[in-house]
Amino acid sequence: MSATTSAKAAKAPKAPKAAKATNQVARRRIADIVVHLFLAVLAALWVLPIIWIVAESFNANPAPYTTTFFPTDYSLDNYIKLFTERNVLNFPRMFANTFIVAVFTMIISVFFVLSVSYALSRLRFSFRKPYMNLALILGMFPGIMAVVAIYFILKEMGLTQGWTTNIALIIVYSAGTGMGFYVMKGFMDTIPISLDEAAILDGCSQWQVFTKIILPISKPMIVYQAIVGFLTPWLDFVLAKAIARTQENYTVSLGLWLMLEKEYIHSWFARFAAGAVCVAIPIAILFIVMQRFYQSSMEGSVKG
């Protein structure tokens, strides 16, 4: 009898523990449900404008005001007219201008940032720290403060008329990219200096260390800088508006802005949506092509 009683007494404390564990599981499930519902609402709020702009780009009614949220009649005319009717707004030329400027800016900015970052990360010279402090201070001021001065400098150089406007935009977007070296330099600082020393002991020059060791390891940051260098001119409005004075020199951001002017909006609003979709396509392709380079590249540098 006493043995049975003691056995029951030993089992008794386990019941509250089991109930406590069950309550913890229930609370965890409720928290997961709440979090997933919250994330689902945020995802819907993020995706809905994208779905709407894509649907609006196929709207057969070009007017901006409709009685329904989504179009009722769909057509490909907006895309066709956007690239074929060039007598009012020459969107294909604007698209080509922007693409040329973005590609050259991307290439130049990657070269500038890599050069400055490697020099500041691996080399030691007298003006190194003052330069980094100066770059940090200048980076605190918004670039829009220099727009007027930049325009008059380019005007005196004769780069604000005709095809030279593209050269002016490339110069402006590329010139200051070397000042944005902090992210790349911070990444290079994490690369062990022993790799450089081992390569030099094996007979490598500084250029070989840079190309065979630093560049393969820095591939994710190179991709990041390439994307930033491409997106800056692709999406910029302020500098392009100040420098490009005629439609033949406009970029896509200026073209889309012009489509919303009061004299164009009633017949160009649906084509504005189509243009917005076309502007997003190169960005999506760039991310799809570049994303595989985001993985760690240490293994590739060792093989190189």
Side-chain angles (χ1 to χ4, degrees):
M1 190 71 179
S2 61
T4 304
T5 304
S6 62
K8 290 181 178 180
K11 293 180 179 179
K14 294 184 179 180
K17 291 183 179 180
K20 185 177 180 181
T22 303
N23 291 336
Q24 288 180 348
V25 172
R27 285 196 297 268
R28 192 176 301 151
R29 288 180 179 175
I30 292 173
D32 290 342
I33 291 172
V34 172
V35 170
H36 281 82
L37 286 175
F38 178 71
L39 293 176
V41 172
L42 291 180
L45 293 175
W46 183 77
V47 173
L48 186 60
I50 299 176
I51 297 175
W52 180 85
I53 199 73
V54 173
E56 183 64 25
S57 68
F58 293 99
N59 192 357
N61 180 15
Y65 306 108
T66 57
T67 56
T68 58
F69 184 76
F70 286 106
T72 55
D73 298 323
Y74 294 89
S75 173
L76 291 173
D77 289 344
N78 296 319
Y79 288 94
I80 296 174
K81 292 179 180 179
L82 186 67
F83 287 94
T84 56
E85 295 184 1
R86 307 180 184 182
N87 54 337
V88 179
L89 295 177
N90 194 345
F91 184 80
R93 186 184 183 106
M94 299 175 189
F95 194 93
N97 289 339
T98 313
F99 187 78
I100 292 171
V101 172
V103 170
F104 278 95
T105 301
M106 177 181 67
I107 297 171
I108 296 172
S109 66
V110 169
F111 174 76
F112 280 178
V113 171
L114 281 173
S115 302
V116 175
S117 301
Y118 180 76
L120 294 175
S121 177
R122 288 301 194 261
L123 305 180
R124 296 295 181 267
F125 48 92
S126 58
F127 192 64
R128 177 174 171 272
K129 287 187 177 180
Y131 172 77
M132 289 192 291
N133 294 333
L134 179 63
L136 181 63
I137 294 172
L138 292 177
M140 296 179 182
F141 296 93
I144 194 173
M145 296 175 60
V147 169
V148 176
I150 290 172
Y151 171 74
F152 281 107
I153 291 173
L154 294 173
K155 185 177 180 181
E156 290 298 321
M157 296 172 62
L159 296 177
T160 57
Q161 298 293 331
W163 63 272
T164 57
T165 303
N166 288 343
I167 298 177
L169 290 173
I170 294 172
I171 293 174
V172 170
Y173 290 128
S174 303
T177 54
M179 302 290 282
F181 61 85
Y182 272 95
V183 176
M184 183 74 75
K185 177 190 174 295
F187 183 86
M188 288 185 180
D189 288 342
T190 63
I191 302 174
I193 196 70
S194 57
L195 294 177
D196 301 39
E197 295 172 349
I200 292 174
L201 288 175
D202 289 338
C204 292
S205 62
Q206 283 289 345
W207 175 252
Q208 290 174 322
V209 171
F210 177 66
T211 57
K212 301 294 184 180
I213 304 296
I214 303 300
L215 287 187
I217 297 177
S218 304
K219 194 177 294 183
M221 293 307 301
I222 295 174
V223 172
Y224 163 78
Q225 183 59 43
I227 292 174
V228 172
F230 184 88
L231 292 183
T232 299
W234 191 262
L235 302 177
D236 178 68
F237 176 83
V238 176
L239 282 174
K241 185 69 175 68
I243 296 173
R245 313 303 298 174
T246 59
Q247 273 198 39
E248 64 178 6
N249 303 319
Y250 273 10
T251 59
V252 288
S253 59
L254 297 178
L256 294 178
W257 165 76
L258 200 59
M259 292 177 192
L260 298 180
E261 290 284 286
K262 60 182 180 180
E263 61 264 33
Y264 298 114
I265 188 170
H266 292 287
S267 57
W268 283 79
F269 185 77
R271 274 181 265 187
F272 162 82
V277 174
C278 293
V279 168
I281 291 175
I283 300 174
I285 294 174
L286 182 66
F287 273 93
I288 292 173
V289 172
M290 293 286 195
Q291 67 177 351
R292 63 191 181 93
F293 295 109
Y294 275 110
Q295 61 186 352
S296 176
S297 302
M298 181 68 76
E299 189 174 322
S301 68
V302 174
K303 289 181 180 178

